[in-house]
Amino acid sequence: MPDKETPSFEGLYKAHHLKVQRLCRMLLRDLAEAEETGQEVFLKMFKQYQTASWPNDWSAWLTRVTVNACHDRRKSAWWKWWRSSNGEVQLADYPSSARTPEQEALGREQQIHIWHAFRELSGRQQEVFVLRYLEGWSTEEVAKTLAISEGSVKNHLFRAVHRLREALKKNGAGS
Amino acid sequence: MIRCLEDKTLFLLSEGEASEEQRSHLKSCQACTERYQEIVRDLRLITQTLQREVPALRLTTSSGSIFFRSLPIAAGVLLAIALMWGESRLWRPDSSSEQTLSGDISQFLEQVADAIFDRGSMGEVEPASSDSDLASVQVALGENCSDDCRGLFNESFAANTKSKTKAVDRPVITAKRRPIEPAMQRMVSDRTE
């Protein structure tokens, strides 16, 4: 049970809700569905908060729960059907201002193509890429969280990076 | 000296995983070093791009895709309608069998009414013939019926016939006469004697 020294639920929510929403938006296509999944994650967090067994690291716990929630959502037959039958996906309202010198070199169109290529990755490749490169987890942690072998994680990573690099090269931004 | 490294090996090197031999090759081979640096730079660009705010998505659907997507839904709806129609058709009795049934019922009721009220014999009541009745009377009186007796009988018979005809005209329901049991007959004859 929480006491004065432990973080409040509100504090945890404020600290992590942006990250959870971002993860959901990355791993799911539909914005409404991403928000719904984010709410599901915080509901699970609330239930966990009320129990005596708290995780050592709430951030890692939330990341794991979010990735698994998105994975479950994608596994649903209806989601697959809609995803496969929907038309072309376009990125809209992408901010044109670059933030780093490297991004200055990378044109807006190229960035859009990277996002597009990311969207075209398989669900597992997206999950592995996000956890390994955007969250900075080790291969071992990713494998444990997704319940797959380390070799499988490396294979998914290599394929994901290969396809993203192809998208980068296609537009002449890459080397 | 090993051959130039594959892309996957270079990627694994970027992940910090490769054999010592591969690492030494990377250091000595200019081409592999350049390819390796390309991978690292691309990966950094991609990661930085994907770490930015997730852009909004706009799903575009062409009329063709809408058509093809709606096909399974339309097929499902049609199938459901067909099933409902078939089921209602299966369970609804048709009008011809209904008519036959009502005819059967009315015929059965008529037979029941005949059996109960003996309507068939009621309509076909034969007027009693005076000769047969006279013969019966003669038998009863011992064959010695005089002319006076005959005249009296005829008058009485005419009066009786009139009253019977009137009775038949009225809607009178008569029960079928049951045969008298032999024991009952014996008892009546004993009393008479």
Side-chain angles (χ1 to χ4, degrees):
Chain A
M1 287 297 289
D3 55 40
K4 286 178 182 176
E5 291 176 359
T6 56
S8 65
F9 178 79
E10 196 183 343
L12 284 171
Y13 177 82
K14 278 182 182 171
H16 298 292
H17 85 278
L18 284 176
K19 183 180 115 175
V20 169
Q21 286 298 335
R22 187 178 190 283
L23 262 176
C24 291
R25 287 180 67 185
M26 282 198 83
L27 297 175
L28 298 171
R29 287 192 166 202
D30 187 43
L31 186 61
E33 197 172 24
E35 283 175 3
E36 202 176 305
T37 310
Q39 287 171 3
E40 261 177 47
V41 169
F42 281 107
L43 188 66
K44 283 180 184 171
M45 182 187 160
F46 181 70
K47 284 177 183 170
Q48 187 70 28
Y49 188 83
Q50 286 181 320
T51 63
S53 59
W54 279 20
N56 294 327
D57 184 359
W58 276 107
S59 177
W61 185 88
L62 276 171
T63 304
R64 190 172 66 249
V65 169
T66 306
V67 169
N68 286 328
C70 292
H71 182 77
D72 290 345
R73 184 63 70 111
R74 273 201 309 265
K75 271 201 306 187
S76 105
W78 275 104
W79 197 92
K80 274 184 186 171
W81 184 72
W82 274 102
R83 187 179 185 219
S84 61
S85 57
N86 269 333
E88 187 188 353
V89 177
Q90 291 186 347
L91 299 168
D93 306 327
Y94 190 72
S96 57
S97 58
R99 291 175 186 174
T100 65
E102 280 167 326
Q103 283 176 341
E104 287 285 358
L106 203 61
R108 182 175 177 272
E109 288 299 312
Q110 282 75 29
Q111 293 179 45
I112 288 173
H113 278 98
I114 289 172
W115 273 106
H116 196 282
F118 179 79
R119 294 285 179 199
E120 295 300 313
L121 295 178
S122 73
R124 192 56 100 188
Q125 287 170 1
Q126 285 182 1
E127 287 163 10
V128 168
F129 189 90
V130 165
L131 290 177
R132 177 69 187 89
Y133 291 117
L134 304 187
E135 295 294 320
W137 288 18
S138 69
T139 309
E140 190 185 350
E141 284 172 329
V142 175
K144 198 177 171 184
T145 298
L146 300 179
I148 54 177
S149 68
E150 283 188 49
S152 187
V153 169
K154 286 171 196 165
N155 280 332
H156 283 304
L157 265 182
F158 173 69
R159 285 181 200 141
V161 170
H162 181 70
R163 288 180 70 175
L164 290 169
R165 284 186 73 211
E166 275 185 346
L168 200 64
K169 283 178 184 172
K170 205 182 284 178
N171 298 281
S175 44
Chain B
M1 191 71 183
I2 58 171
R3 288 165 54 185
C4 278
L5 301 171
E6 291 180 353
D7 277 355
K8 188 165 185 178
T9 311
L10 291 171
F11 168 74
L12 289 174
L13 274 165
S14 75
E15 284 285 296
E17 293 178 23
S19 65
E20 199 55 44
E21 194 181 9
Q22 287 165 339
R23 286 183 193 283
S24 60
H25 173 81
L26 184 65
K27 283 177 185 171
S28 60
C29 177
Q30 183 66 27
C32 285
T33 306
E34 282 179 10
R35 282 170 58 219
Y36 174 77
Q37 285 171 351
E38 278 174 22
I39 289 175
V40 172
R41 191 178 57 191
D42 288 353
L43 200 51
R44 193 166 58 239
L45 275 173
I46 291 164
T47 306
Q48 283 177 350
T49 302
L50 294 178
Q51 275 174 337
R52 296 182 68 188
E53 192 180 346
V54 182
L57 294 174
R58 189 174 65 228
L59 299 178
T60 57
T61 50
S62 62
S63 57
S65 75
I66 290 169
F67 173 75
F68 286 116
R69 239 188 320 160
S70 61
L71 273 181
I73 295 170
V77 169
L78 281 176
L79 186 67
I81 290 170
L83 280 172
M84 285 168 66
W85 180 79
E87 196 178 0
S88 66
R89 190 90 182 128
L90 187 71
W91 290 106
R92 191 183 64 191
D94 60 359
S95 56
S96 61
S97 67
E98 207 168 78
Q99 281 172 1
T100 312
L101 187 66
S102 65
D104 286 347
I105 290 169
S106 62
Q107 198 180 345
F108 170 72
L109 289 174
E110 218 165 288
Q111 285 174 358
V112 169
D114 287 348
I116 293 171
F117 303 119
D118 197 15
R119 292 196 318 194
S121 61
M122 191 178 78
E124 295 161 4
V125 175
E126 284 182 14
S129 72
S130 59
D131 293 339
S132 63
D133 284 354
L134 181 61
S136 305
V137 170
Q138 278 177 344
V139 168
L141 296 176
E143 301 284 339
N144 296 323
C145 190
S146 63
D147 288 343
D148 294 339
C149 172
R150 189 181 292 265
L152 190 65
F153 175 78
N154 283 338
E155 278 174 21
S156 148
F157 180 76
N160 247 345
T161 310
K162 270 186 185 176
S163 67
K164 266 188 185 175
T165 311
K166 278 178 187 173
V168 167
D169 287 344
R170 278 181 284 149
V172 176
I173 297 168
T174 56
K176 201 171 185 175
R177 187 182 299 163
R178 283 188 195 171
I180 300 168
E181 288 180 19
M184 183 72 81
Q185 252 178 345
R186 225 178 295 124
M187 200 167 72
V188 170
S189 62
D190 288 349
R191 281 195 178 182
T192 315
E193 283 169 8

